[in-house]
Amino acid sequence: MRTNILLDAKAGRFAIGAFNVNTYDEMIAIADEAEKRQLPVIMMASMSSAKFFGIPTFAKLCRVLDEAYSIPVISHLDHCTRPELLLDCVEAGFDSVMYDGSHGLYEDNVQVTRRLADVCHKKGVFIEAELGVIAGEEGPVKSKFSEFTNPDYVADFVKRTTLDSLAVSIGNAHGFYKGKPEIQFDLLAEIRANIPDTALVLHGGTGIPGEDIRRSIRMGITKVNVGTEIRAAYMRGVKDYVAVHPQDGDVREYVVSLREAIGKSAAKYMDCFDCRGDQK
Ligand code: 13P
């Protein structure tokens, strides 16, 4: 299973960047930067972007990129709250999916995740789930407040769900942060100690300072999700080009402009993902 890559990352003190995408141009810009650094990369579709691309189309696009680039390009469904849609993605050939039952009752989250994990594992698909609530908005999942992951529950959750990776709420949030994010490193250490063999995922990557991302990777985070900054970079690239060419313009130059803006944003995060040379 190519997604075992997450466990390799855990053993090797690096993280895989997972980027929310809505267009082919974002995928190309991100894959180009990942290839320059020889880092595997995850292309994430939210429920709505999976439908926007077309579910089989997204799976196939990722497979084509995986063949075209020298690094692994992995397809992932992000924050899925609808089991039927998740199963459609599994059927269509996604490499990895996330079931997000974090807003409901603990026991329901366990039961549904477990049922989906059984299907995923039969098909060789990786499954991520979430415990605790991450503040902010990501697709259909919205919360004004965070509820930190309770470290006393993680071992039970991992064991009973058989998930492959766990998204944690440790002070991270979706969207732009209002102030400096306060990542709870002590809590991360406690979670890590309770589930030392599980890949951990940090959502809400946009705006977390590079040093905090690196520190969390050294402490066991193996996947970092970035979405808002990629969407903002896309729009910046569009506006910059149109500002210079309000009346004329060339389609390819326009695409180059937005790909460059996205590439720069993605690169800023990717440069934090490889901590193999770090002393601490
Ligand atoms: P940001 O949009 O805050 O980067 O978060 C993305 C994310 O966590 C997707 O699951």
Side-chain angles (χ1 to χ4, degrees):
M1 180 168 43
R2 284 183 316 125
T3 36
N4 270 344
I5 258 164
L6 271 187
L7 295 176
D8 296 346
K10 190 167 89 61
R13 285 174 116 205
F14 68 95
I16 317 274
F19 296 90
N20 289 101
V21 293
N22 290 287
T23 65
Y24 177 68
D25 289 309
E26 288 159 286
M27 296 169 89
I28 295 288
I30 291 164
D32 282 349
E33 293 301 325
E35 174 139 283
K36 277 186 211 158
R37 291 162 181 77
Q38 284 299 297
L39 288 172
V41 68
I42 298 174
M43 301 290 172
M44 295 196 295
S46 63
M47 295 200 303
S48 61
S49 61
K51 286 198 225 150
F52 182 66
F53 275 105
I55 289 174
T57 305
F58 184 76
K60 284 184 188 137
L61 269 176
C62 290
R63 221 167 298 141
V64 167
L65 295 179
D66 183 56
E67 278 169 25
Y69 285 80
S70 65
I71 42 139
V73 178
I74 294 161
S75 52
H76 176 80
L77 174 68
D78 192 28
H79 283 291
C80 185
T81 52
R82 288 185 39 214
E84 333 76 79
L85 190 133
L86 184 145
L87 294 173
D88 287 347
C89 292
V90 170
E91 210 45 54
F94 275 52
D95 297 306
S96 169
V97 290
M98 176 189 189
Y99 173 66
D100 184 352
S102 63
H103 291 250
L105 296 174
Y106 176 77
E107 203 52 37
D108 292 345
N109 196 359
V110 170
Q111 297 301 333
V112 180
T113 306
R114 173 59 193 253
R115 184 166 63 78
L116 295 170
D118 285 346
V119 180
C120 288
H121 292 152
K122 280 198 190 103
K123 300 263 184 191
V125 173
F126 211 76
I127 183 162
E128 174 181 331
E130 179 172 320
L131 202 53
V133 177
I134 298 169
E137 184 171 342
E138 190 58 50
V141 183
K142 289 180 200 152
S143 178
K144 271 195 180 156
F145 306 102
S146 36
E147 197 182 290
F148 291 160
T149 302
N150 185 335
D152 297 338
Y153 282 80
V154 292
D156 180 75
F157 191 67
V158 167
K159 184 160 175 258
R160 290 173 63 207
T161 58
T162 72
L163 56 68
D164 298 295
S165 60
L166 180 70
V168 291
S169 173
I170 53 169
N172 46 324
H174 292 125
F176 289 115
Y177 291 88
K178 300 229 160 53
K180 182 182 178 293
E182 301 285 343
I183 303 298
Q184 309 292 303
F185 292 103
D186 290 349
L187 175 56
L188 175 57
E190 218 179 318
I191 294 169
R192 166 83 300 154
N194 290 348
I195 44 169
D197 300 325
T198 305
L200 299 178
V201 182
L202 185 67
H203 282 242
T206 295
I208 300 182
E211 188 36 55
D212 286 359
I213 292 182
R214 293 186 84 89
R215 185 170 169 197
S216 64
I217 293 169
R218 292 195 298 266
M219 292 176 69
I221 290 289
T222 51
K223 171 174 173 269
V224 179
N225 286 12
V226 180
T228 303
E229 178 127 3
I230 298 301
R231 291 189 289 278
Y234 186 110
M235 293 315 297
R236 216 166 37 244
V238 169
K239 285 180 196 153
D240 287 353
Y241 188 76
V242 173
V244 179
H245 300 274
Q247 303 297 339
D248 60 336
D250 174 84
V251 174
R252 287 189 199 163
E253 282 180 9
Y254 162 84
V255 168
V256 166
S257 169
L258 64 92
R259 282 188 188 174
E260 275 176 2
I262 295 160
K264 258 190 219 155
S265 286
K268 191 174 76 179
Y269 290 94
M270 285 180 195
D271 286 340
C272 303
F273 292 160
D274 189 348
C275 299
R276 282 172 286 197
D278 288 11
Q279 295 304 310
K280 291 186 277 175

